[in-house]
Amino acid sequence: MDSNTYIQAKNQYYDMKFCPAYWDWLDQQFHVGAVQSIHSVYAEITDSNDSLSVWAKSHKSHFMSVADKETQDKFSEIADYVVSLKDKPQEEIAHFLSKADPWIIAKAAALQATVVTHERKVPENSKKIKIPNICEKYSVGYINTYKLLSTLNAKFILS
């Protein structure tokens, strides 16, 4: 799961105050091996003192290491490719490579997993570098939170 899936959920549709079931569901899905994220995402979402940061710190085990050889090798391949994109501004390349984005794609590629993100693919002539574009380049699937919820048959029932 990408940082933006956690941040948008907390800020918008699954605020922890009125929808704690979503966060409980994430924890359950982690324990059955259906969802996970990486340390880079953990670092991004614990960079403040908000409710998401507190939640992530108490669920640190949800965030996997990227130190394994397969992930490292795939990250190097992705980084080399991104650096070779001559039509992208250097600032955009540096920004993309400094975030969790290439790492989450590399980890998903290593695990043959699907990235969950709210980013959308951009046209080839865009100056931006987005997760879906790089996922497609490396045959890594990507979905948004809503598709994840549907795929895993999530149900939040009011009692």
Side-chain angles (χ1 to χ4, degrees):
M1 292 184 66
D2 185 21
S3 302
N4 64 25
T5 61
Y6 292 100
I7 295 166
Q8 287 183 23
K10 189 259 315 174
N11 288 341
Q12 297 172 8
Y13 40 89
Y14 297 125
D15 183 291
M16 293 174 177
K17 291 178 196 141
F18 67 77
C19 194
Y22 174 76
W23 304 93
D24 293 342
W25 177 83
L26 274 182
D27 195 39
Q28 289 172 352
Q29 296 307 303
F30 165 77
H31 288 293
V32 298
V35 298
Q36 46 196 261
S37 195
I38 59 170
H39 287 166
S40 307
V41 167
Y42 176 84
E44 288 181 4
I45 65 177
T46 58
D47 195 26
S48 66
N49 261 347
D50 64 5
S51 59
L52 177 58
S53 177
V54 171
W55 180 87
K57 288 173 184 173
S58 68
H59 293 84
K60 191 172 183 177
S61 62
H62 289 209
F63 301 89
M64 304 172 65
S65 171
V66 294
D68 59 284
K69 181 175 179 6
E70 295 84 5
T71 302
Q72 293 289 317
D73 289 349
K74 191 55 76 172
F75 173 82
S76 292
E77 191 178 328
I78 291 167
D80 289 346
Y81 170 72
V82 169
V83 167
S84 79
L85 296 171
K86 301 297 181 215
D87 59 334
K88 307 297 182 197
Q90 288 301 308
E91 310 83 55
E92 182 65 20
I93 291 169
H95 176 75
F96 180 82
L97 293 175
S98 71
K99 306 295 262 173
D101 296 359
W103 288 106
I104 201 155
I105 299 165
K107 186 57 140 179
L111 295 174
Q112 298 181 358
T114 301
V115 173
V116 181
T117 184
H118 286 291
E119 288 189 11
R120 294 177 188 225
K121 187 177 175 187
V122 294
E124 279 189 41
N125 63 353
S126 173
K127 298 300 180 194
K128 300 287 184 189
I129 303 168
K130 295 293 183 180
I131 289 173
N133 297 75
I134 305 303
C135 281
E136 285 186 2
K137 167 74 177 157
Y138 289 94
S139 300
V140 172
Y142 62 93
I143 59 175
N144 64 28
T145 299
Y146 305 113
K147 182 67 174 170
L148 174 70
L149 292 167
S150 174
T151 300
L152 297 179
N153 300 311
K155 293 192 184 341
F156 305 135
I157 300 170
L158 186 62
S159 59

